[in-house]
Every structure is written in C-alpha cells, then in structure tokens.
Amino acid sequence: MEDIARPVLKWAGGKRQLLGIIDEHLPSEVKNGEVTKYVEPMVGGGAVFFHMKEKYGTTITEYFISDYNWDLFILYRVIQARVKDLISELEILANEYLPLPPTQKGDKEGERISMYMRIRDEYNDDEWENDRFLKDGVRLRKRLNERWVRRAAMTIFLNRTCFNGLYRVNSSGKFNVPHGRYNNPDIVDKQNLQAVSNTLQGVNISVGSYVDNLAMVDDKTFVYFDPPYRPLPDTPSFTDYHKAAFGDNEQIELASMFTELHERGAKVMLSNSDPKNTDMDDNFFDELYSQHHINRVLARRAINSDGEGRGEIAEILVTNYGVD
C-alpha cells in the first residue's frame, strides 16, 4: 500500500483538522462520480487537494492547483519533477544543522541560529527576483530551472526550523520569521516527499492570481477556495503569506468570481473566518454570499501567538449547493 501524501509545509490556516467536515460538505456530484475535474486556485499547504486526490482520484481525473505565492509554486513543481534532487539538497542541510547544539529558551545566538540566519539571508537575497520574474518584471517565471531545487529545499528547511513553523513575509516580500527551538526537526521527511511527488504526477500546477487560473472550470468541475481569512478584531491575524494585500475589497471580488463559477455550472466551496465570533452584528459574509449557502463549522486554531487562545472557533464554508 502506497503512503498517503501529507502537506509538506506547516501552513497558517491549514485544513487538515477540517478535512472530515469538508468531506461531509462536498457536493453529491463529487461522491457519485459526476464531477471529473478538481480546481484549487489558492492551494496553500494543500491539505484539501491531497485529500481529494487520495479519496476521489479514481473518479476525478483532472487536477489543477495554483497559488499566488511563487515559492509554493516552485516547491510543488520541484517535488513533482525533481524530488530526488530535492531530497539530496535537504539531506545536505540536515546533516549540517542537526549535529549543532539545540537552541535553548532565551538564546539570542548559537550555532543553529547562525546557520538558520545564513539560510534565511540567502533565501531573501534580491538576486532571486531575477528567477521570480521574466524580463518585463511583471510576469512570473514558470519554467523550472536548476536553482529552483535549492530554493525549494530552503523553503522546507526554514519551515521546519523557524518559530512555530510559520510562513510569513514582510511588506517587501522577505521571509522574516525568527529561528525556532526544535531539538530534532524532520528536515528531510523523505517518505512523505516521495508520496507527495507520486500524488503530483499528472497534476497541472500553476502560479498567479486565482482570476487567471480558472479558465478550465466547467459544469463537471468542483472548485475549492481557501483565501487569506478576513481578520477578526482583537485576534491574531495570519494573512501575510505573500506581500499582496487581501482585504474586504478583494473578498468582494472573490465573491463575484464565486457567483460567476456558479453560473458556469461548477460546484464551488469557499472557507473563511466567521465575523460573528467577535461581533454578532457583523453580516459581511452573510450579505456577500446571500445567494448561496453558508455553513458554520467549528475549527481549532492551528497557529496562535497566544497559547491561551488555542481552541475551537467558528468558521464558514460557503457552498453554491445545499448539503444534506
């Protein structure tokens, strides 16, 4: 029996804990085989994609995943096409890092911190912009090259060794999470990387705005949106996956696209925060998706800077179909 692929990165807002609930809210057309195409244009850590591929891979025959985050695109393309080289690069990093003395609480410097900062500086080097964009400085580069293996390895290394496994960038798009304190992080995770590579074979992987990655959607398609969540007042907000803002105007534009896909005949689901957790009079999403179905579900926060704040909180699953 093949290993089941799991998300490679720890990802703020990841959906592993909600997979059972999401599965319960899938349209009947997915479960009876009428849907043959899966599209996820904000794939993030990919928990829902991996679940769909593993459970419905015999009836859903076409998969399209994309994300605005260029480093996620690189990571998935490298795992898909160059997983052995990626594993080798990660083993080099792990063999240097793991023998170093673990960082203790309160340490401001140390050998692991020094190595981490060196890799983070390399990751943030402006030279990577030449790899990121084509000559026009606008369009993102999509053709895999040799340097991308190193880039993907650094993405995984930083995610496994940074504070709380948090992916966050500043307004300039630079990764700015400090070093963590894990004694023996699994930097390579070879078995899962191979499983993920197997899962990604034949999958269409792209990069850019969700608007540019929906042309293939038709009436045989299930689309799942997992956008940056609308922040709740007085709670930690983890929307800094990339430097592009995603505020209320962007949420409104996404709702318009949701309706457009509904009119194409696709089955559509969207996750987001529930404003009513902090303000029962906040009807932002209720009004925005009044033509559709809003399902309120409970989720446990996966990343929170306040340990006392970890607990169940309501989220919404918007669907353009009724759920039995």
Side-chain angles (χ1 to χ4, degrees):
M1 181 178 176
E2 291 187 0
D3 294 310
I4 296 175
R6 307 184 317 277
V8 175
L9 302 180
K10 186 175 182 181
W11 198 254
K15 293 297 177 290
R16 288 187 69 182
Q17 44 130 352
L18 272 180
L19 290 178
I21 294 174
I22 288 174
D23 197 85
E24 291 173 359
H25 287 78
L26 291 176
S28 59
E29 288 83 356
V30 166
K31 299 177 180 180
N32 66 22
E34 292 180 36
V35 163
T36 59
K37 193 182 297 182
Y38 176 77
V39 177
E40 188 173 347
M42 298 173 166
V43 70
V48 176
F49 158 70
F50 291 124
H51 171 77
M52 296 296 293
K53 190 73 159 52
E54 190 272 329
K55 188 166 182 178
Y56 302 102
T58 57
T59 54
I60 299 178
T61 56
E62 294 182 86
Y63 290 83
F64 298 82
I65 62 173
S66 59
D67 202 279
Y68 193 89
N69 187 309
W70 185 71
D71 282 308
L72 279 179
F73 166 67
I74 283 183
L75 178 65
Y76 291 133
R77 283 290 288 117
V78 168
I79 294 174
Q80 183 186 54
R82 301 280 297 275
V83 70
K84 290 183 179 179
D85 295 332
L86 174 60
I87 289 170
S88 296
E89 191 73 29
L90 284 168
E91 286 174 341
I92 292 171
L93 290 169
N95 289 339
E96 179 182 354
Y97 180 87
L98 292 176
L100 301 176
T103 303
Q104 304 300 317
K105 185 176 182 179
D107 286 353
K108 301 297 183 183
E109 56 185 35
E111 293 180 77
R112 283 193 174 184
I113 295 175
S114 178
M115 178 184 172
Y116 175 87
M117 294 304 297
R118 171 167 54 82
I119 299 301
R120 197 180 80 169
D121 287 345
E122 179 184 348
Y123 194 72
N124 287 332
D125 194 298
D126 289 340
E127 185 179 335
W128 284 106
E129 295 301 295
N130 296 326
D131 276 65
R132 188 184 306 267
F133 295 103
L134 297 172
K135 290 183 179 180
D136 61 12
V138 176
R139 290 177 297 163
L140 292 163
R141 196 179 298 275
K142 299 180 181 180
R143 182 173 296 178
L144 191 150
N145 65 40
E146 292 294 326
R147 279 167 51 85
W148 286 14
V149 174
R150 175 67 175 176
R151 184 74 183 178
M154 290 193 294
T155 296
I156 294 175
F157 172 81
L158 291 171
N159 186 256
R160 300 284 167 82
T161 58
C162 74
F163 173 74
N164 222 12
L166 174 65
Y167 185 98
R168 184 187 66 202
V169 298
N170 61 22
S171 60
S172 300
K174 304 299 185 182
F175 185 82
N176 64 354
V177 184
H179 183 252
R181 294 198 313 270
Y182 303 104
N183 287 334
N184 191 34
D186 191 351
I187 293 170
V188 183
D189 199 5
K190 179 177 180 179
Q191 192 170 352
N192 187 52
L193 280 177
Q194 188 60 64
V196 171
S197 181
N198 293 339
T199 297
L200 289 173
Q201 298 311 303
V203 173
N204 296 275
I205 306 172
S206 194
V207 65
S209 169
Y210 69 90
V211 176
D212 301 322
N213 288 287
L214 294 169
M216 74 296 292
V217 174
D218 57 21
D219 61 358
K220 298 294 184 184
T221 307
F222 173 59
V223 183
Y224 174 63
F225 285 111
D226 187 19
Y229 276 20
R230 185 172 186 251
L232 299 176
D234 302 320
T235 64
S237 172
F238 295 96
T239 58
D240 300 324
Y241 308 135
H242 50 72
K243 60 182 178 181
F246 207 93
D248 280 1
N249 288 337
E250 286 73 23
Q251 298 285 1
I252 292 169
E253 291 170 1
L254 177 56
S256 178
M257 177 58 73
F258 188 102
T259 297
E260 179 183 324
L261 298 181
H262 168 71
E263 292 170 352
R264 288 193 213 175
K267 301 301 179 184
V268 192
M269 177 189 288
L270 176 143
S271 300
N272 218 307
S273 60
D274 184 359
K276 292 184 180 298
N277 281 297
T278 54
D279 183 358
M280 287 301 297
D281 295 323
D282 190 335
N283 295 311
F284 180 79
F285 286 123
D286 293 79
E287 294 174 357
L288 200 55
Y289 291 100
S290 60
Q291 303 174 54
H292 304 293
H293 303 266
I294 298 181
N295 310 276
R296 286 182 159 84
V297 301
L298 291 177
R300 179 170 292 276
R301 290 187 183 137
I303 296 179
N304 191 324
S305 58
D306 176 8
E308 296 299 319
R310 297 176 189 265
E312 289 193 324
I313 187 171
E315 294 188 2
I316 61 171
L317 288 179
V318 183
T319 59
N320 69 332
Y321 52 87
V323 178
D324 295 333

